[in-house]
Each structure stands twice: as structure tokens, then as C-alpha cells.
Amino acid sequence: MNTRNLALSGLFVAIMLILGYLEKVLSLGWGYGIKLGLSNCVLLLCLYWFGVGNSILLMLAKVFLSSLLFGGFNPVSLSLSLGGGALSMAGMVLLVFVVKDVSPVGAGMVGGVLHNVGQLLVAILVHRFPVLYTYMALLVVIGAVMGAITGSLVLRLKHFLPYERRRRFGFAGKQEEPKTT
Amino acid sequence: MKRRDFWVFTAILGLVLALLILGRALRPAPVQNARATLSVSLEGTPVTGQPARADSYLRIKQGEAYYHLVPLNKAGEIVIKQEQGWENVIHIDKDSVVMHSANCPNQDCVRMGKMTLLNIETRVHQRWITCLPHQLSLELIPGDEAQRLMEGQ
């Protein structure tokens, strides 16, 4: 990792923490655990920018720091965030690097859905909470909608990516394509 | 928008439909043979294994431990304190339960509102109010099911 990427990573973690805190303060919960998940948008952008390894580190940093700063380091909440973050990251990595040919909107949707699914799985399997299928369906729909929003944000932000990354993921515009002889 | 995004939409839609169908097909039922080991105190007297008759009962679960059923026949306040300093205040009334306050970070349980015998069929969380950070769940059990539970023990 070069110095530039290190500095950017630090910046991204800070942005994710602030976004997470803002969502908490604005309290978009309504008792259903519904969140916009704006930090997911930063993570998805990181995935395109830095690749898998660094993005996983950023996700871990976000989860632990946000639990330490805003969640009272509650072990249950931490395990839920970790489960959600890990599954969401796995899904997005799969779509972006293995399946390919998926737009940031699709990847964001899968990330949003899997984040909620991961949290629910941890709650049910580890903490033995009741299985509520209707609530799960609601969370999947919300995850998809919120993920589509964060994915569209990444679509808007993609031109900030370095040129070689844009080319790799097919984001580079026609006018940027190097001349082929 | 790319070609495989369509698969993503379809998969998510399929998942939602499957969950909705499962939610319709499987009615929530209380966990059987769960031995109650703890008891709350209502107006200074502990609620034991032989509660008063009521149309509905409240079952509190903390971590893996179950509390004795609390009859929901009059207003009262239950305070669940845990050694980590976690505290939940539950208000009960005839056939209704609400998480009045909690010192948990996300406050989701407080926002889940009042759960009554009438609205547990239509609530998103059905017959539960859960406080995930404190590993606490409140389950409202209709009288007939509760009777069967108590006979089983």
C-alpha cells in the first residue's frame, strides 16, 4: 500500500464513522433497525478503489471504532455489526470480482440486503432470537432499496477513481480509451 | 445498469417472496420445555410458577434464561437489571406490554411500541419485543397457549 492509499483509507474510515453517527443521530430507526447504510457506499467505492484486502480492513476498522465510539462497545451489537459487515462485504466482493458485469447499483443492493441478512443470522444463530420471517422480508426489501440508493451514489462518484481502476471495472468513458492501433 | 443486475433483482425478489410465504405458513409458537429459572417481582412480590389467571401472559427471556410467566391482568412495572449495568423498564397492563425505557445504545426496543393481544397478528415483530444489545426478549403469549405451557412444566 502506498502513502496515498494509506491516507485515503484513513479519510474513508473517518467519513464512514461520521456518516454512521449522523444516521444514528437522525434516528432513522423507527424501531425496525432500518438504516440508510451510507457507509456501505464508501465501502463499495473502496472495493473498486483499493481491492479486497484493504476494504476488509476498512470494514473491520469501521465496525470496531463505531462500536467503541457510539455503541458503548456492547458485545452483542458488535457481533451483529461484524456479521452484517462480513456477509455484505463477501457478497459485494463476489459480485464485483467474481461474477463481474454487475453495476455498482446491483452490488450495492446485494451489499445492503446481505448486511441485514448477516445481522439477522447472527441474532438468530448466536443470540437465539426468535425467527420472524415477515420482519426478514421487510429487512430484505429495505436493504435492497437502501443498497440501490448507496449504489447509485457510487455510480455518481466513480469518476473519482484512478484511471487504471476505472478501466479495470469498465467505468472509463469512450473518450478516455487509449488509441488502439 | 448491466445485464447481470437483472439476476440480482430477481434473486432479491425471490428471497422476499419466499420469506413472505414462510411467514404466512409458519405461525409463531412459544418454545416448549423451556424451564423458567428466574422470576420478576411485581409490586414487591415475586411472580412464580403458578401465576394468576389471565387472557395473556408475558414471557421474558434473558440470554438463555427464561422468567416465569407474568400474567397480564393489571397495570404494573417490571425492571430487569443486569450486572453489566444494563437496565430495561417494562410497563404492563391488561393484555399489553411496552418497553418503557432501556439504557441500550440503539433504543429499538423502546420504539417497537406497545404490543397487545390484538395487534400481535399484524405487528412486524409479531409477538415479540426484543432488545438485542441487552439480549432480552419479551414474548406475549395468549392465554390458551400459556396454559398448555404451564401444564407441560
Side-chain angles (χ1 to χ4, degrees), chain A residues 84-106:
Chain A
L87 199 65
S88 150
M89 184 54 90
M92 293 196 294
V93 167
L94 193 75
L95 283 192
V96 173
F97 292 94
V98 182
V99 177
K100 295 180 180 140
D101 201 25
V102 176
S103 74
V105 180

Side-chain angles (χ1 to χ4, degrees), chain A residues 139-173:
Chain A
L139 278 189
V140 169
V141 172
I142 286 162
V145 173
M146 299 309 190
I149 295 173
T150 57
S152 326
L153 277 172
V154 173
L155 211 54
R156 295 245 152 226
L157 295 170
K158 68 181 196 282
H159 63 270
F160 288 111
L161 290 172
Y163 176 64
E164 70 273 19
R165 303 299 289 181
R166 268 180 288 158
R167 255 194 72 193
R168 176 166 175 194
F169 296 107
F171 292 155

Side-chain angles (χ1 to χ4, degrees), chain A residues 27 74 99 103 109 127-128, chain B residues 4-5 9 61 111 133 135:
Chain A
S27 188
N74 182 298
V99 177
S103 74
M109 282 174 85
H127 303 295
R128 303 268 161 224
Chain B
R4 286 190 178 144
D5 283 353
F9 294 141
K61 185 187 175 201
R111 290 199 209 104
Q135 291 199 295

